[in-house]
mmCIF file of all heavy atoms in Angstrom:
data_model
loop_
_atom_site.group_PDB
_atom_site.id
_atom_site.type_symbol
_atom_site.label_atom_id
_atom_site.label_comp_id
_atom_site.label_asym_id
_atom_site.label_seq_id
_atom_site.Cartn_x
_atom_site.Cartn_y
_atom_site.Cartn_z
ATOM 1 N N PHE A 287 89.838 78.653 101.823
ATOM 2 C CA PHE A 287 91.067 79.049 101.131
ATOM 3 C C PHE A 287 91.783 77.839 100.509
ATOM 4 O O PHE A 287 92.926 77.954 100.090
ATOM 5 C CB PHE A 287 92.016 79.766 102.093
ATOM 6 C CG PHE A 287 91.609 81.183 102.404
ATOM 7 C CD1 PHE A 287 90.703 81.454 103.410
ATOM 8 C CD2 PHE A 287 92.130 82.248 101.673
ATOM 9 C CE1 PHE A 287 90.326 82.753 103.707
ATOM 10 C CE2 PHE A 287 91.759 83.555 101.962
ATOM 11 C CZ PHE A 287 90.854 83.808 102.973
ATOM 12 N N PRO A 295 86.514 83.171 92.570
ATOM 13 C CA PRO A 295 86.685 84.568 92.991
ATOM 14 C C PRO A 295 86.810 84.694 94.509
ATOM 15 O O PRO A 295 86.451 83.773 95.252
ATOM 16 C CB PRO A 295 85.410 85.241 92.482
ATOM 17 C CG PRO A 295 84.390 84.138 92.473
ATOM 18 C CD PRO A 295 85.141 82.894 92.087
ATOM 19 N N PHE A 296 87.330 85.823 94.937
ATOM 20 C CA PHE A 296 87.374 86.125 96.373
ATOM 21 C C PHE A 296 85.952 86.367 96.850
ATOM 22 O O PHE A 296 85.208 87.150 96.256
ATOM 23 C CB PHE A 296 88.234 87.361 96.613
ATOM 24 C CG PHE A 296 88.333 87.769 98.054
ATOM 25 C CD1 PHE A 296 89.005 86.981 98.967
ATOM 26 C CD2 PHE A 296 87.748 88.950 98.499
ATOM 27 C CE1 PHE A 296 89.110 87.350 100.305
ATOM 28 C CE2 PHE A 296 87.841 89.335 99.825
ATOM 29 C CZ PHE A 296 88.514 88.532 100.729
ATOM 30 N N THR A 297 85.554 85.689 97.917
ATOM 31 C CA THR A 297 84.158 85.723 98.346
ATOM 32 C C THR A 297 84.007 86.312 99.748
ATOM 33 O O THR A 297 84.962 86.319 100.533
ATOM 34 C CB THR A 297 83.576 84.300 98.358
ATOM 35 O OG1 THR A 297 84.269 83.530 99.365
ATOM 36 C CG2 THR A 297 83.733 83.627 97.009
ATOM 37 N N ALA A 301 86.450 86.268 103.405
ATOM 38 C CA ALA A 301 86.732 87.410 104.274
ATOM 39 C C ALA A 301 86.231 87.146 105.686
ATOM 40 O O ALA A 301 86.915 87.451 106.673
ATOM 41 C CB ALA A 301 86.095 88.674 103.706
ATOM 42 N N ALA A 304 88.468 84.456 107.521
ATOM 43 C CA ALA A 304 89.763 85.009 107.934
ATOM 44 C C ALA A 304 89.613 85.951 109.123
ATOM 45 O O ALA A 304 90.445 85.963 110.035
ATOM 46 C CB ALA A 304 90.411 85.742 106.762
ATOM 47 N N ILE A 310 91.816 88.881 110.677
ATOM 48 C CA ILE A 310 92.408 89.512 109.497
ATOM 49 C C ILE A 310 91.362 90.401 108.832
ATOM 50 O O ILE A 310 90.232 89.966 108.583
ATOM 51 C CB ILE A 310 92.908 88.441 108.509
ATOM 52 C CG1 ILE A 310 94.010 87.599 109.159
ATOM 53 C CG2 ILE A 310 93.406 89.070 107.212
ATOM 54 C CD1 ILE A 310 94.450 86.408 108.321
ATOM 55 N N ASN A 311 91.730 91.646 108.518
ATOM 56 C CA ASN A 311 90.767 92.543 107.883
ATOM 57 C C ASN A 311 90.554 92.167 106.416
ATOM 58 O O ASN A 311 91.320 91.388 105.827
ATOM 59 C CB ASN A 311 91.186 94.011 108.025
ATOM 60 C CG ASN A 311 92.521 94.309 107.375
ATOM 61 O OD1 ASN A 311 92.742 94.003 106.213
ATOM 62 N ND2 ASN A 311 93.425 94.921 108.136
ATOM 63 N N LYS A 312 89.527 92.732 105.808
ATOM 64 C CA LYS A 312 89.112 92.309 104.469
ATOM 65 C C LYS A 312 90.199 92.555 103.428
ATOM 66 O O LYS A 312 90.430 91.713 102.550
ATOM 67 C CB LYS A 312 87.832 93.050 104.076
ATOM 68 C CG LYS A 312 87.248 92.596 102.744
ATOM 69 C CD LYS A 312 85.938 93.301 102.444
ATOM 70 C CE LYS A 312 85.361 92.843 101.110
ATOM 71 N NZ LYS A 312 84.073 93.530 100.807
ATOM 72 N N MET A 313 90.875 93.698 103.498
ATOM 73 C CA MET A 313 91.904 94.007 102.508
ATOM 74 C C MET A 313 93.057 92.996 102.565
ATOM 75 O O MET A 313 93.533 92.516 101.538
ATOM 76 C CB MET A 313 92.438 95.427 102.720
ATOM 77 C CG MET A 313 93.463 95.851 101.684
ATOM 78 S SD MET A 313 94.056 97.552 101.959
ATOM 79 C CE MET A 313 92.515 98.460 101.741
ATOM 80 N N GLN A 314 93.480 92.658 103.774
ATOM 81 C CA GLN A 314 94.559 91.686 103.918
ATOM 82 C C GLN A 314 94.088 90.288 103.534
ATOM 83 O O GLN A 314 94.854 89.501 102.967
ATOM 84 C CB GLN A 314 95.093 91.697 105.354
ATOM 85 C CG GLN A 314 96.181 90.682 105.650
ATOM 86 C CD GLN A 314 97.489 90.922 104.902
ATOM 87 O OE1 GLN A 314 97.627 91.920 104.195
ATOM 88 N NE2 GLN A 314 98.446 90.028 105.069
ATOM 89 N N ALA A 315 92.828 89.974 103.821
ATOM 90 C CA ALA A 315 92.287 88.661 103.440
ATOM 91 C C ALA A 315 92.303 88.496 101.923
ATOM 92 O O ALA A 315 92.595 87.410 101.409
ATOM 93 C CB ALA A 315 90.870 88.502 103.980
ATOM 94 N N ARG A 316 92.010 89.569 101.198
ATOM 95 C CA ARG A 316 92.056 89.524 99.737
ATOM 96 C C ARG A 316 93.492 89.256 99.272
ATOM 97 O O ARG A 316 93.724 88.462 98.347
ATOM 98 C CB ARG A 316 91.559 90.856 99.178
ATOM 99 C CG ARG A 316 91.883 91.117 97.706
ATOM 100 C CD ARG A 316 90.975 90.364 96.767
ATOM 101 N NE ARG A 316 91.465 90.395 95.387
ATOM 102 C CZ ARG A 316 90.681 90.350 94.315
ATOM 103 N NH1 ARG A 316 89.365 90.278 94.467
ATOM 104 N NH2 ARG A 316 91.194 90.360 93.101
ATOM 105 N N ARG A 317 94.448 89.905 99.899
ATOM 106 C CA ARG A 317 95.859 89.699 99.540
ATOM 107 C C ARG A 317 96.278 88.250 99.804
ATOM 108 O O ARG A 317 96.973 87.637 98.990
ATOM 109 C CB ARG A 317 96.720 90.669 100.351
ATOM 110 C CG ARG A 317 98.203 90.647 100.038
ATOM 111 C CD ARG A 317 98.925 91.685 100.880
ATOM 112 N NE ARG A 317 100.362 91.628 100.733
ATOM 113 C CZ ARG A 317 101.076 92.327 99.854
ATOM 114 N NH1 ARG A 317 100.435 93.148 99.018
ATOM 115 N NH2 ARG A 317 102.387 92.237 99.795
ATOM 116 N N VAL A 318 95.851 87.717 100.937
ATOM 117 C CA VAL A 318 96.152 86.328 101.281
ATOM 118 C C VAL A 318 95.547 85.382 100.249
ATOM 119 O O VAL A 318 96.199 84.416 99.799
ATOM 120 C CB VAL A 318 95.629 85.998 102.695
ATOM 121 C CG1 VAL A 318 95.654 84.497 102.950
ATOM 122 C CG2 VAL A 318 96.444 86.739 103.750
ATOM 123 N N TYR A 319 94.316 85.655 99.861
ATOM 124 C CA TYR A 319 93.648 84.845 98.824
ATOM 125 C C TYR A 319 94.466 84.822 97.533
ATOM 126 O O TYR A 319 94.667 83.760 96.918
ATOM 127 C CB TYR A 319 92.246 85.398 98.579
ATOM 128 C CG TYR A 319 91.701 85.165 97.188
ATOM 129 C CD1 TYR A 319 91.236 83.909 96.791
ATOM 130 C CD2 TYR A 319 91.665 86.210 96.258
ATOM 131 C CE1 TYR A 319 90.742 83.701 95.501
ATOM 132 C CE2 TYR A 319 91.168 86.014 94.980
ATOM 133 C CZ TYR A 319 90.726 84.757 94.599
ATOM 134 O OH TYR A 319 90.239 84.555 93.329
ATOM 135 N N GLU A 320 94.961 85.983 97.118
ATOM 136 C CA GLU A 320 95.723 86.053 95.871
ATOM 137 C C GLU A 320 97.026 85.256 95.970
ATOM 138 O O GLU A 320 97.414 84.569 95.020
ATOM 139 C CB GLU A 320 96.021 87.515 95.530
ATOM 140 C CG GLU A 320 94.775 88.307 95.139
ATOM 141 C CD GLU A 320 95.042 89.779 94.896
ATOM 142 O OE1 GLU A 320 96.192 90.222 95.111
ATOM 143 O OE2 GLU A 320 94.098 90.494 94.482
ATOM 144 N N ILE A 321 97.697 85.349 97.108
ATOM 145 C CA ILE A 321 98.956 84.611 97.280
ATOM 146 C C ILE A 321 98.699 83.107 97.284
ATOM 147 O O ILE A 321 99.414 82.332 96.626
ATOM 148 C CB ILE A 321 99.666 85.037 98.580
ATOM 149 C CG1 ILE A 321 100.074 86.520 98.494
ATOM 150 C CG2 ILE A 321 100.889 84.165 98.838
ATOM 151 C CD1 ILE A 321 100.606 87.081 99.800
ATOM 152 N N LEU A 340 94.954 88.245 84.923
ATOM 153 C CA LEU A 340 93.800 89.141 84.776
ATOM 154 C C LEU A 340 93.164 89.455 86.125
ATOM 155 O O LEU A 340 92.671 90.564 86.341
ATOM 156 C CB LEU A 340 92.767 88.518 83.830
ATOM 157 C CG LEU A 340 93.211 88.385 82.360
ATOM 158 C CD1 LEU A 340 92.122 87.700 81.533
ATOM 159 C CD2 LEU A 340 93.538 89.759 81.768
ATOM 160 N N LEU A 341 93.159 88.474 87.017
ATOM 161 C CA LEU A 341 92.623 88.686 88.365
ATOM 162 C C LEU A 341 93.366 89.818 89.064
ATOM 163 O O LEU A 341 92.750 90.725 89.645
ATOM 164 C CB LEU A 341 92.752 87.393 89.171
ATOM 165 C CG LEU A 341 92.416 87.504 90.667
ATOM 166 C CD1 LEU A 341 90.921 87.463 90.864
ATOM 167 C CD2 LEU A 341 93.090 86.378 91.452
ATOM 168 N N ILE A 342 94.694 89.779 89.007
ATOM 169 C CA ILE A 342 95.509 90.790 89.685
ATOM 170 C C ILE A 342 95.379 92.134 88.984
ATOM 171 O O ILE A 342 95.214 93.175 89.636
ATOM 172 C CB ILE A 342 96.985 90.353 89.737
ATOM 173 C CG1 ILE A 342 97.126 89.013 90.456
ATOM 174 C CG2 ILE A 342 97.820 91.428 90.430
ATOM 175 C CD1 ILE A 342 96.622 89.000 91.868
ATOM 176 N N GLU A 344 92.973 93.289 87.202
ATOM 177 C CA GLU A 344 91.657 93.884 87.422
ATOM 178 C C GLU A 344 91.617 94.635 88.751
ATOM 179 O O GLU A 344 91.101 95.758 88.830
ATOM 180 C CB GLU A 344 90.575 92.801 87.394
ATOM 181 C CG GLU A 344 89.173 93.355 87.602
ATOM 182 C CD GLU A 344 88.113 92.265 87.648
ATOM 183 O OE1 GLU A 344 88.480 91.069 87.763
ATOM 184 O OE2 GLU A 344 86.924 92.601 87.585
ATOM 185 N N ARG A 345 92.185 94.027 89.788
ATOM 186 C CA ARG A 345 92.220 94.724 91.082
ATOM 187 C C ARG A 345 93.108 95.959 91.027
ATOM 188 O O ARG A 345 92.754 97.017 91.549
ATOM 189 C CB ARG A 345 92.714 93.779 92.177
ATOM 190 C CG ARG A 345 92.891 94.487 93.523
ATOM 191 C CD ARG A 345 93.376 93.555 94.594
ATOM 192 N NE ARG A 345 94.676 92.978 94.336
ATOM 193 C CZ ARG A 345 95.827 93.640 94.481
ATOM 194 N NH1 ARG A 345 95.847 94.910 94.855
ATOM 195 N NH2 ARG A 345 96.973 93.015 94.246
ATOM 196 N N LEU A 346 94.258 95.838 90.387
ATOM 197 C CA LEU A 346 95.167 96.973 90.292
ATOM 198 C C LEU A 346 94.556 98.125 89.508
ATOM 199 O O LEU A 346 94.904 99.292 89.718
ATOM 200 C CB LEU A 346 96.477 96.538 89.622
ATOM 201 C CG LEU A 346 97.352 95.553 90.405
ATOM 202 C CD1 LEU A 346 98.524 95.088 89.555
ATOM 203 C CD2 LEU A 346 97.862 96.193 91.697
ATOM 204 N N TRP A 348 91.370 99.011 89.548
ATOM 205 C CA TRP A 348 90.210 99.618 90.209
ATOM 206 C C TRP A 348 90.386 101.117 90.481
ATOM 207 O O TRP A 348 89.499 101.915 90.160
ATOM 208 C CB TRP A 348 89.900 98.892 91.519
ATOM 209 C CG TRP A 348 89.303 97.531 91.353
ATOM 210 C CD1 TRP A 348 88.754 97.000 90.213
ATOM 211 C CD2 TRP A 348 89.200 96.514 92.347
ATOM 212 N NE1 TRP A 348 88.333 95.715 90.434
ATOM 213 C CE2 TRP A 348 88.575 95.391 91.742
ATOM 214 C CE3 TRP A 348 89.562 96.431 93.685
ATOM 215 C CZ2 TRP A 348 88.318 94.223 92.437
ATOM 216 C CZ3 TRP A 348 89.309 95.261 94.394
ATOM 217 C CH2 TRP A 348 88.691 94.170 93.763
ATOM 218 N N TYR A 396 104.622 88.143 95.713
ATOM 219 C CA TYR A 396 103.834 86.959 96.047
ATOM 220 C C TYR A 396 104.661 85.681 95.906
ATOM 221 O O TYR A 396 104.534 84.755 96.721
ATOM 222 C CB TYR A 396 102.603 86.873 95.151
ATOM 223 C CG TYR A 396 101.501 87.863 95.476
ATOM 224 C CD1 TYR A 396 101.665 88.830 96.470
ATOM 225 C CD2 TYR A 396 100.294 87.847 94.786
ATOM 226 C CE1 TYR A 396 100.662 89.735 96.762
ATOM 227 C CE2 TYR A 396 99.269 88.738 95.079
ATOM 228 C CZ TYR A 396 99.458 89.680 96.057
ATOM 229 O OH TYR A 396 98.461 90.582 96.343
#
Side-chain angles (χ1 to χ4, degrees):
F287 284 85
F296 179 68
T297 65
I310 298 173
N311 61 52
K312 185 177 180 180
M313 183 179 297
Q314 177 66 4
R316 165 78 192 210
R317 184 178 174 92
V318 167
Y319 152 75
E320 291 176 356
I321 296 172
L340 293 178
L341 172 80
I342 302 301
E344 181 183 13
R345 175 180 62 76
L346 293 173
W348 288 345
Y396 286 4

